[in-house]
Amino acid sequence: RIITSRLREFYIREAVAYIENNYQKDITVEEIAGALKLNRSYFGKIFRQSTGKSPQRFLMNYRMIKAAEMLTLTKRPINEIGASVGYVNQMHFSRAFRAIYGTSPRDWRKNNRAEK
């Protein structure tokens, strides 16, 4: 059991590192599992058990944290920010952002700008 839990922790750390290093690309859960040489459903199960989120949800949350940072700290156009966190379709980006923060990227920027 100790080896199993250590191995699981290793896989989760590696998965999180993979997401942190590749979130701006169009990555899938299959690719993350593949990078770890794990079966997709097994990977999804251990990831959810360890983090409380599905890999997809974790990835989306991570992307939205990065997007919120850019909206707050830069003047880059919203569609550029969406693309830089892995959303080539601005509508999909706005929908995902709203699902996490409850507001549009434009309104978030208006209310959270670093230099007001």
Side-chain angles (χ1 to χ4, degrees):
R1 289 243 173 228
I2 290 171
I3 292 172
T4 305
S5 80
R6 282 193 182 147
L7 191 56
R8 181 180 296 198
E9 287 171 23
F10 168 78
Y11 283 134
I12 300 311
R13 273 196 315 275
E14 289 296 303
V16 170
Y18 188 89
I19 289 169
E20 289 172 344
N21 292 322
N22 295 285
Y23 72 92
Q24 60 280 68
K25 301 175 191 157
D26 186 20
I27 57 172
T28 63
V29 175
E30 288 80 9
E31 286 176 58
I32 300 167
L36 300 173
K37 311 254 186 293
L38 292 175
N39 169 287
R40 186 211 185 284
S41 61
Y42 176 71
F43 167 66
K45 179 181 166 191
I46 66 167
F47 195 92
R48 184 185 296 273
Q49 287 172 345
S50 298
T51 67
K53 292 183 177 117
S54 71
Q56 191 62 41
R57 188 71 180 183
F58 186 92
L59 173 60
M60 187 172 94
N61 283 354
Y62 190 81
R63 285 173 165 162
M64 293 305 115
I65 288 167
K66 292 299 187 184
E69 285 174 7
M70 284 185 255
L71 287 165
T72 302
L73 301 173
T74 74
K75 294 181 178 180
R76 291 173 69 188
I78 291 170
N79 64 329
E80 214 178 88
I81 290 172
S84 74
V85 297
Y87 288 85
V88 282
N89 181 316
Q90 188 176 349
M91 194 172 76
H92 290 162
F93 169 65
S94 292
R95 196 176 299 137
F97 193 91
R98 184 181 296 277
I100 299 293
Y101 291 105
T103 188
S104 71
R106 185 185 305 116
D107 288 344
W108 172 271
R109 171 174 269 167
K110 202 170 21 179
N111 296 320
N112 294 283
R113 265 198 309 252
E115 70 287 337
K116 285 189 178 180

